[in-house]
Every structure is written in structure tokens, then in C-alpha cells.
Amino acid sequence: MTTSTPSFLVIGESVADIVRSPGRPDLPHPGGSPANVAYGLGRLGRPVALLTQLGDDEVGRLIAAHLRSAGVELPADGRTGVRTPTAIVTLDPDGRAGYAFDIHWSLRPVDPPAGADHVHLGSIAAVLPPGADAALGLLERLRPGASVSYDPNVRPALFGAPAAALARVERCVALSDLVKASDEDLAWLYPGWSEQRVAEHWLGLGPALVLITRGGRGAAAFTPRGTVEAAAEPTAVVDTVGAGDAFMSATLDALAGRGLLGPTGRPALAALTPADLTALLRYAGRAAAITVSRAGATPPTAAELLPG
């Protein structure tokens, strides 16, 4: 089995998360689900580029410096005059995050960057016009030569009418080899459906592997061969910002380490054994547990994920 290191391209939004909690001053953190995944991959030592939109403003410069500090490359779509998206993040007493967005996504069609063995698409960028069409068009062009992952990371306030949003989500699912979603995502997209039913439906659309995260209740992996579950790693929660994104980047890191990404890795994803899937869930779950133990979307480094 090959163990060559794939190059990652992440497509999607960057957002300045302004964390607001009672009795504390507002704290701006670089965020946005796709940006967090790219940053997490960079922190884990993976070569990664993020196709996003950042304004020439204070928070845009903050996010760009943050991403570059992890080695993330920032190709541009050539559009000028954009405003960096923001989100007011409010934390409840248990550290769970709620979001109020000010975001515009206007990605332009661009030539695909060379050398991407794996492409990850996330969240608002896949559903919010006018940029969603450019993002999906780019994904379709890259799909023949790269493996693909997708995280809907549903934001109801920005996804529009559920039926239209679901159609876009399922288009992305059908283009993907790996899909990760939370139990909350599924509840909004498919009211009344069980996780098993959703996973089987998505596997029927094309992916080889579906991962569902459940917050403090752990996560599950679904393949055509069966289902594996893993408990969450115990930790003291500071906040949950970026937990799912850390899970995603660690998942991609683990699969890359086993040579399971890139177009030649697709068949092996569906053939992962229960032991393989358990190890994957535990590795990604550890990344999420480390992230929720500190403020903001601060995923672990490779050294922090070493068995201790």
C-alpha cells in the first residue's frame, strides 16, 4: 500500500468568530469550518492550501496570519473589495456555541490549483450563492484526479429553505468519498430519520465512508460493510468551537498516513475493518477532545496526538 503524502486543497469560507460569553470581553478568533480544517491539517504537518475569501481588513489580516502560521497556503480567486465574514459566537453555561452570522460568499470560478490529491469542501461555501456554484464546479473538475471529503456543518440561518439546501448537500455527498456530519446536522436535514437510515442513504449516493459525530456521546463510522461506534474521550470542556473541524482534519491526517486518500485510495476506504474504524474514531475523537479543552478553534499538533 502506498504511503505517499497527499497535498490537500480545502475550499470554503473563513470567518472571524467573535466569542461572547457573560462577564467577559469579546474575543475574536480565526474561524470558519473549512478554514479550521485547513489550519488543523497544517498543524498536523500536512501540506495544505485553502481557497477562501478574506477582506483587506483587520480581521482578514488576523485570519490570514493565523492560517499562514500553520503553513496554510492562500490562493486567491482574484475578487477584490470583499468583506471578511464574521460570526458572533455565544456560549451557554456548558460551553456549547451558538452563531449569528454576517457572511457573503462570492467565490469566482478559478482554474484548479495543481497537485491536489485530496479536496475538502465545507459548510456555507457549498450552499450559499453566488459562490456555491463556483465551489461545486471546481469540485467537479477536480474529482477525477483527487479523493473528496465533505462536511455540511449546517448553519440553518444561512442554508435557506431546507428542501433546496438538502438538494445541494446531497449533490456534494454524491461527489464525495468521505462525508462527516454531526447528529445536529442530520436532525435539520432529515427530521425524524435515524442516523443509520441517513448513513445508508448517503452511502447509496456514492461515498465509501460516513462519519457521524455526537458531541459528548462520541462518534460512529458507517461503511457498506457495517457500523462501528466509539465513545468520546473524557475532557473538561472550555468551549466546543471547532471540535468537529478538528475531528475532520485528524480523520484526513490518519487516512493520509495510511495511504487511503487520493484517487487510488478510494476502494480501500470502503474496506476498512472494524479495528481500523475504531482506531480512526479514537484518533479523531482525541483531536476533538483536545480542542474543546481550550478556547476557540485551536486544534492539536501532531505531537499532542501521540499516545501518552
Side-chain angles (χ1 to χ4, degrees):
M1 180 180 294
T2 179
T3 57
S4 59
T5 302
S7 296
F8 291 90
L9 172 66
V10 179
I11 304 170
E13 71 274 3
S14 299
V15 181
D17 288 337
I18 302 171
V19 179
R20 182 168 295 168
S21 52
R24 300 179 183 177
D26 288 354
L27 293 174
H29 293 283
S33 177
N36 290 342
V37 172
Y39 180 72
L41 285 167
R43 295 261 289 178
L44 293 171
R46 298 294 175 181
V48 57
L50 171 66
L51 181 59
T52 192
Q53 288 186 311
L54 291 169
D56 185 16
D57 47 38
E58 183 176 356
V59 289
R61 290 187 288 273
L62 171 71
I63 293 172
H66 168 77
L67 290 165
R68 290 185 175 122
S69 74
V72 179
E73 298 180 13
L74 295 172
D77 69 346
R79 188 178 294 279
T80 60
V82 299
R83 184 178 72 252
T84 302
T86 60
I88 302 297
V89 184
T90 54
L91 303 176
D92 69 14
D94 295 323
R96 290 187 295 265
Y99 297 84
F101 291 95
D102 179 6
I103 182 170
H104 181 67
W105 175 243
S106 58
L107 185 75
R108 297 170 63 181
V110 295
D111 290 331
D117 297 310
H118 183 85
V119 183
H120 176 75
L121 176 66
S123 197
I124 299 163
V127 298
L128 187 65
D133 288 338
L136 288 173
L138 181 57
L139 190 67
E140 289 172 338
R141 292 168 66 187
L142 290 167
R143 178 76 174 84
S147 52
V148 175
S149 57
Y150 170 59
D151 179 1
N153 194 43
V154 172
R155 298 296 183 228
L158 295 172
F159 270 46
L166 179 59
R168 282 193 174 269
V169 166
E170 291 192 344
R171 180 181 171 192
C172 296
V173 170
L175 289 168
S176 301
D177 301 290
L178 161 64
V179 179
K180 196 270 311 175
S182 71
D183 53 357
E184 293 178 346
D185 294 335
L186 303 191
W188 190 83
L189 290 167
Y190 299 96
W193 286 37
S194 68
E195 290 180 359
Q196 185 73 38
R197 183 182 177 189
V198 175
E200 290 175 354
H201 175 58
W202 281 358
L203 290 170
L205 294 176
L209 176 61
V210 172
L211 302 176
I212 296 176
T213 57
R214 304 163 174 165
R217 297 185 298 112
F222 300 81
T223 75
R225 299 176 61 175
T227 303
V228 171
E229 297 180 306
E233 181 171 311
T235 189
V237 176
V238 173
D239 68 51
T240 62
V241 178
D245 304 322
F247 187 100
M248 184 78 251
S249 56
T251 294
L252 296 177
D253 174 61
L255 294 174
R258 294 198 55 192
L260 298 177
L261 298 181
T264 61
R266 287 176 187 145
L269 281 178
L272 288 169
T273 68
D276 294 332
L277 293 170
T278 298
L280 179 66
L281 291 175
R282 287 176 177 169
Y283 183 77
R286 176 161 174 73
I290 291 171
T291 302
V292 303
S293 71
R294 48 204 186 193
T298 309
T301 63
E304 289 177 302
L305 283 177
L306 291 173

